[in-house]
């Protein structure tokens, strides 16, 4: 008897992909034709780099050709599937760390979920599919907007109506065409029409990093406490404790906390696979004395497989000392504020 093997798909069924995405754990899914960025978006990116709003993130200057056209990331690409994965649930007593970083490293979590979903429709052939998280040179928020997943708010965050902005973004790039494509929720990516007259995020931003020209990372607390290397600018400790919002020494959640689109935070449960990490015991210390005395061994134990390791031990301890007032910013710290 001759074995019969199913033929590889030749087209994506948009409805089936979206149903499977929700079943996999994604909160939203949209599908767009692979194409170059719009001229308006390309100009926005050029202005951002020219103004220096990317601060020390020099990698944003590289591979601009790939960012402007995802088809260069996968020859023959026809479709971009944009997906939103929810942030981990939050504990009742959280440490002073940005909410998104309290779970296992989202790069691994989201990439595995993308691969799982892609294998159901596109197979695992690397010549026909590529799964992307934010380590690849792709304009994720643009594609989430273009695929109708959400809109870009005044905060610069992607906001999904009825769901909010507490999501990680990922993409499946494939050479398969789809039988239907989604349309954006706003006429252009820079439109804040769905924010109405709300300016809560602008008012709450401690460094006033949200400008008419987009986010200025040089004034952004998240950038300063995660990506910035070297001494902190003098105002950083003040911004860590600014109100409204939760005091934090890693990242900043203020724009998400005040956004009216965001529902109350989910509460962590013992069975949540994307909950807090702490070397296997499922909890993360929240008391001040522990953080002040954090050792390298503690750091490695608690943040094994965590996005917090992005700041490295030296950077995290720099933040902690500033947060608790044990060390003022260096006089020679970069201060263009």
């Amino acid at each position: 008897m001759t074995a019969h093997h199913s033929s590889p798909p030749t087209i994506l069924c948009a409805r089936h992909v979206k149903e499977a995405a929700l079943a996999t754990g994604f909160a939203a899914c949209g599908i767009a034709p692979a194409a170059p960025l719009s001229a308006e978006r390309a100009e926005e990116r050029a202005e951002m780099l020219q103004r220096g709003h990317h601060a020390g993130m020099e990698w944003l200057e590289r591979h601009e050709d790939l960012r402007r056209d995802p088809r260069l990331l996968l020859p023959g690409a026809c479709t971009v599937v944009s997906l939103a994965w929810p942030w981990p649930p939050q504990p009742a007593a959280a440490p002073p760390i940005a909410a998104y970083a309290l779970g296992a490293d989202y790069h691994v979590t989201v990439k595995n979920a993308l691969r799982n979903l892609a294998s159901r429709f596109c197979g695992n052939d690397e010549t026909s599919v590529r799964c992307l998280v934010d380590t690849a040179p792709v304009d994720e928020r643009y594609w989430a907007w273009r695929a109708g997943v959400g809109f870009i708010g005044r905060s610069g965050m992607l906001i999904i109506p009825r769901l909010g902005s507490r999501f990680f973004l990922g993409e499946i790039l494939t050479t398969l065409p789809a039988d239907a494509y989604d349309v954006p929720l706003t006429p252009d990516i820079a439109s804040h029409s769905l924010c109405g007259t709300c300016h809560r995020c602008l008012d709450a931003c401690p460094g006033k990093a949200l400008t008419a020209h987009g986010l200025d990372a040089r004034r952004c607390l998240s950038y300063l406490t995660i990506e910035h290397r070297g001494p902190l600018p003098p105002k950083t400790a003040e911004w860590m404790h600014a109100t409204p919002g939760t005091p934090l020494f890693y990242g900043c959640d203020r724009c998400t906390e005040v956004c009216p689109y965001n529902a109350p935070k989910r509460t962590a449960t013992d069975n949540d696979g994307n909950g807090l990490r702490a070397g296997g015991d499922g909890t993360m210390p929240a008391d001040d004395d522990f953080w002040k005395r954090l050792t390298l061994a503690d750091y490695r134990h608690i943040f094994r497989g965590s996005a917090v390791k992005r700041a490295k031990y030296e950077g995290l301890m720099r933040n902690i000392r500033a947060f608790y007032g044990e060390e003022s910013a260096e006089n020679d710290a970069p201060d263009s504020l």
Side-chain angles (χ1 to χ4, degrees):
M1 179 179 293
T2 303
H4 294 279
H5 300 282
S6 59
S7 301
T10 58
I11 192 167
L12 286 180
C13 173
R15 181 173 62 85
H16 290 166
V17 170
K18 292 178 181 180
E19 290 175 351
L22 296 180
T24 302
F26 290 100
C29 173
I31 303 176
L37 301 186
S38 66
E40 293 78 11
R41 182 58 170 176
E43 184 177 351
E44 287 175 6
R45 285 195 51 79
E47 289 183 358
M48 178 270 292
L49 296 173
Q50 185 177 14
R51 292 176 183 276
H53 283 186
H54 59 311
M57 296 179 284
E58 73 284 346
W59 60 87
L60 292 177
E61 303 174 15
R62 301 195 292 265
H63 306 301
E64 187 65 10
D65 56 335
L66 302 182
R67 294 182 192 278
R68 294 193 178 202
D69 191 344
R71 297 174 301 179
L72 299 179
L73 289 166
L74 180 68
C78 292
T79 303
V80 179
V81 181
S82 176
L83 298 122
W85 183 267
W87 287 3
Q90 305 305 298
I97 293 173
Y100 85 87
L102 290 176
D105 190 343
Y106 68 92
H107 295 95
V108 177
T109 302
V110 178
K111 180 64 75 70
N112 287 340
L114 290 170
R115 287 171 174 163
N116 181 19
L117 180 61
S119 67
R120 302 177 61 175
F121 299 98
C122 312
N124 295 310
D125 182 2
E126 294 184 357
T127 64
S128 63
V129 64
R130 184 169 178 182
C131 297
L132 309 168
V133 190
D134 68 0
T135 54
V138 60
D139 194 332
E140 292 193 305
R141 287 176 298 166
Y142 173 86
W143 286 108
W145 163 79
R146 179 62 187 81
V149 173
F151 68 95
I152 306 301
R154 287 196 173 90
S155 63
M157 302 280 283
L158 181 88
I159 299 174
I160 304 174
R162 297 180 298 280
L163 295 178
S165 62
R166 298 187 181 110
F167 298 96
F168 305 112
L169 298 177
E171 300 77 37
I172 297 174
L173 189 61
T174 176
T175 56
L176 297 178
D179 62 0
Y181 291 108
D182 296 292
V183 297
L185 301 183
T186 56
D188 61 79
I189 191 172
S191 172
H192 303 315
S193 57
L194 295 183
C195 286
T197 59
C198 180
H199 290 79
R200 295 182 190 179
C201 57
L202 276 67
D203 297 336
C205 181
K208 304 306 175 189
L210 301 174
T211 75
H213 302 287
L215 175 72
D216 184 349
R218 296 169 297 185
R219 305 182 66 92
C220 176
L221 184 60
S222 281
Y223 165 75
L224 293 170
T225 56
I226 299 174
E227 301 292 345
H228 174 66
R229 300 293 180 254
L232 294 171
K235 297 180 182 179
T236 309
E238 174 186 335
W239 294 347
M240 290 177 177
H241 293 276
T243 56
T246 304
L248 300 170
F249 57 62
Y250 182 95
C252 182
D253 288 334
R254 286 171 178 82
C255 61
T256 63
E257 289 182 354
V258 302
C259 180
Y261 276 98
N262 281 323
K265 298 177 183 177
R266 293 186 300 141
T267 302
T269 64
D270 293 338
N271 297 322
D272 196 302
N274 196 32
L276 301 183
R277 286 190 58 90
D281 65 7
T283 61
M284 186 181 291
D287 61 285
D288 296 339
D289 288 339
F290 175 84
W291 293 114
K292 291 178 183 179
R293 299 193 303 267
L294 184 69
T295 66
L296 180 58
D298 290 333
Y299 167 83
R300 289 173 173 169
H301 177 70
I302 292 172
F303 298 115
R304 184 176 70 245
S306 165
V308 176
K309 296 191 77 172
R310 177 69 178 174
K312 304 186 183 302
Y313 175 70
E314 295 78 9
L316 191 63
M317 290 308 300
R318 171 204 63 187
N319 297 347
I320 290 172
R321 288 192 294 268
F323 183 81
Y324 289 110
E326 295 181 355
E327 177 181 285
S328 59
E330 300 290 339
N331 292 331
D332 61 350
D335 186 12
S336 57
L337 311 178

